[in-house]
Amino acid sequence: MTSKRSSLHGQWSSRWAFILAATGSAVGLGNIWKFPYITGENGGGAFVIVYLVCIACIGIPLMMAEILIGRRGRRSPVNTMRTLAAEGHHHPAWQYLGWTGVLAGFLILSYYSVVAGWALAYVFRAAGGLFDNATGEQIGELFTALISDPERLLAWHTIFIVMTMIVVSRGVQSGLEKAVRFLMPGLFLLLAMLVGYAMSTGSFTEGMAFLFSPDFSKLSSASVLVAMGHAFFTLSLGMGAIMVYGSYLPEDTSIAQTSIIIAAADTLVALMAGMAIFPIVFAHGLEPGMGSGLIFQTLPIAFGHMPGGTFFGTLFFVLLVFAAWTSAISLIEPAVAWLVENRGMTRVMASAWAGLATWIVGLGTVFSFNLWAERKLFGMSFFDLLDFATANIILPLGGLFIALFATWTLSRRVTKDELKLGRTGYQLWYILTRYVAPLAVIVIFLNVTGLLELG
Ligand code: PHE
């Protein structure tokens, strides 16, 4: 039995390369596009608190579990699960956990790419000066014009998928690593600038109160599910993205420390996006719960009114595209790594096939904003349903089983050896991962399905 392996696909050149890549995976549309709009839909403060608690008590321990499993197995999530299960004489069915991850990544990327396409389109709208002095209403019309045109959405979706596949096909070292180096600081600076602008709108206090003063009467059990689902989504957990990145992690890197850094950076970006957006929403009398177009209908107003707005607006959407790009590559990496390992494909072929399949499923999302806008399943459009099912059901379920695998199935010798924590640190991780995280997921699931009456 070998406990130390190396990955067929290469290794990160340093601990920082891993932190950058994993942060690149975590920080994306989830932080800047999704977090503000679901916070708006779910009433603000109380939702944010549940989300933060989920990040701390479920997200961080689970990220550690995923990284350690990945580093131990050193293969694609499917083969890592298969290998670790076989080595410990556990049930071979554990490999299906790898499969759900591949499926989730591919489904998420199919709609993620469409939204990233909006960001791409907005680079050109910003650069063309379309936001200059525009009113909230004009900005709203601009957004509606974009999403109601299937051809335009399809074109941007196609371009984004191709961009993703080009980076993925180049592999871990040359492709993924280089893509993340300058993005984070740049994005961070621009967000700070937008928060600065938000302070000048006169509605900053109102925006901050919406985000940070909790009103628990606004919190339904469905909102709690969305908050938890988003904690998984935003940290890229529950589907093997972080596991596959962990499989390229050098042996001597501290898993706990890196997980905390990644989660903190991710949370900071999301909160800053919220602080930039809600003051603008209130200053212009917009509706916080307007849905998935929220940032595309608020931030352009800011750019249209600030000095140098054309430049900063363009730069912002370029960075948003980059943030989406580095997340997208991690969504499809588990599938590509599997195709290379098990189907003997080259990385280029594997990326092409994975990209094509994702592109096809993405058509459903493209049409759900226009041609199929009236078609609803469980009261949701194709896009909403896909987003709901993946982020709020498949990822938490995947995460639940990953937590169970790490603490009920893998031996303590293995997890201790990988985590290299002191006694208290290890105990804390163990309790959170073995009991707290799984129970929280189960209780939230049961509660939302109405199977559990919590008073
Ligand atoms: N975390 C990414 C974001 O916030 C999305 C993502 C989810 C990436 C799952 C990989 C895996 O945008």
Side-chain angles (χ1 to χ4, degrees), residues 430-444:
Y430 194 74
I431 292 170
L432 286 174
T433 315
R434 189 175 162 100
Y435 305 105
V436 178
L439 270 175
V441 173
I442 292 170
V443 168
I444 293 172

Side-chain angles (χ1 to χ4, degrees), residues 76-92:
S76 71
V78 175
N79 291 327
T80 283
M81 293 307 294
R82 180 183 296 151
T83 313
L84 295 185
E87 273 179 7
H89 307 288
H90 309 300
H91 203 284

